[in-house]
Amino acid sequence: MARPLIGVSTYLESGARWGVWELDAALLPAGYPRLVQRAGGLAAMLPPDDPEHASAAVARLDGLVIAGGPDVEPVRYGAEPHPRTGPPGRARDAWELALIDAALAAGVPVLGICRGMQLLNVALGGTLVQHIDGHADVVGVFGSHSVKPVPGSLYADAVPEETSVPTYHHQAVDRLGEGLVASAYAGDGTVEAVELASGGWVLGVQWHPEMGEDLRVMRGLVRAAGG
């Protein structure tokens, strides 16, 4: 049986360095494709492109992952930038929002990871808290904390127990987007997972499963993509 093809959005960075080279590069931390592969899928990178091509890209996929990355530009949800909000990645925002819209329209399963969860919320009309403390304690180092699933949710079907997860973020969901419900929380009340109340397999998680050993969330996406 063919493995489902899972597209993963990527960075597009200038001046990336490897070996003797310093060039513009489409970048994706290796944890993402490895997680897709370990969960039974085939991984394909989706670097930023013209948003008008998003529907054609999604039509070739069985599932979509919107990966972590820079802060979503606040103008996307009608806010002024907070002093701690990072510089915008406008091309990536536009491309990933178009991918999300196309996947939702086509019924393609979606998993948003960290920024990907936040962007899913924004795509559906929600807003973000632009800075919180305690979820990224050391710059460039993943931390961990526990998340508790909401019983009966899509996330709880995959991970029914409270569990410790790898985390690194300073923004979070504020007002939920249309049709989204919270499906996991941190101990401080931060929304740690969101999903569509109806309408297929669409899940966002605030943490970074690609940095851990738990395959269950990605396996859920791969199973849905293979269905």
Side-chain angles (χ1 to χ4, degrees):
M1 189 171 180
R3 288 187 164 208
L5 181 63
I6 309 298
V8 187
S9 64
T10 79
Y11 296 79
L12 193 59
E13 297 289 339
S14 61
R17 305 181 75 174
W18 69 100
V20 299
W21 305 105
E22 182 173 347
L23 297 169
D24 293 354
L27 296 177
L28 182 66
Y32 289 100
R34 286 173 181 162
L35 184 63
V36 170
Q37 293 158 356
R38 291 169 64 204
L42 295 172
M45 291 175 64
L46 300 173
D49 200 342
D50 190 316
E52 71 177 18
H53 301 314
S55 291
V58 167
R60 291 164 167 80
L61 302 174
D62 300 306
L64 174 67
V65 175
I66 303 297
D71 295 338
V72 180
E73 188 173 17
V75 70
R76 294 286 183 178
Y77 49 95
E80 293 293 324
H82 184 280
R84 299 286 292 275
T85 295
R90 294 188 178 102
R92 187 169 172 189
D93 283 355
W95 172 238
E96 291 180 338
L97 285 166
L99 288 173
I100 291 169
D101 289 344
L104 294 178
V108 171
V110 177
L111 173 62
I113 293 176
C114 197
R115 162 193 162 87
M117 170 179 136
Q118 295 164 9
L119 203 60
L120 172 64
N121 190 59
V122 169
L124 292 170
T127 62
L128 303 178
V129 177
Q130 292 190 51
H131 183 73
I132 59 172
D133 291 315
H135 290 249
D137 294 329
V138 181
V139 174
V141 177
F142 286 90
S144 64
H145 63 68
S146 291
V147 299
K148 187 173 183 179
V150 173
S153 64
L154 178 68
Y155 172 65
D157 286 345
V159 185
E161 79 280 8
E162 185 172 351
T163 187
S164 181
V165 297
T167 184
Y168 190 85
H169 67 99
H170 81 113
Q171 299 197 332
V173 164
D174 186 10
R175 187 184 72 243
L176 285 167
E178 184 176 356
L180 290 176
V181 294
S183 49
Y185 291 92
D188 63 3
T190 300
V191 174
E192 288 285 331
V194 298
E195 61 193 57
L196 279 183
S198 61
W201 205 100
V202 177
L203 176 66
V205 297
Q206 184 59 77
W207 63 92
H208 286 267
E210 81 281 2
M211 296 304 299
E213 297 299 319
D214 194 331
L215 304 181
R216 289 176 290 178
V217 167
M218 187 61 77
R219 278 180 175 156
L221 173 72
V222 171
R223 280 195 299 267

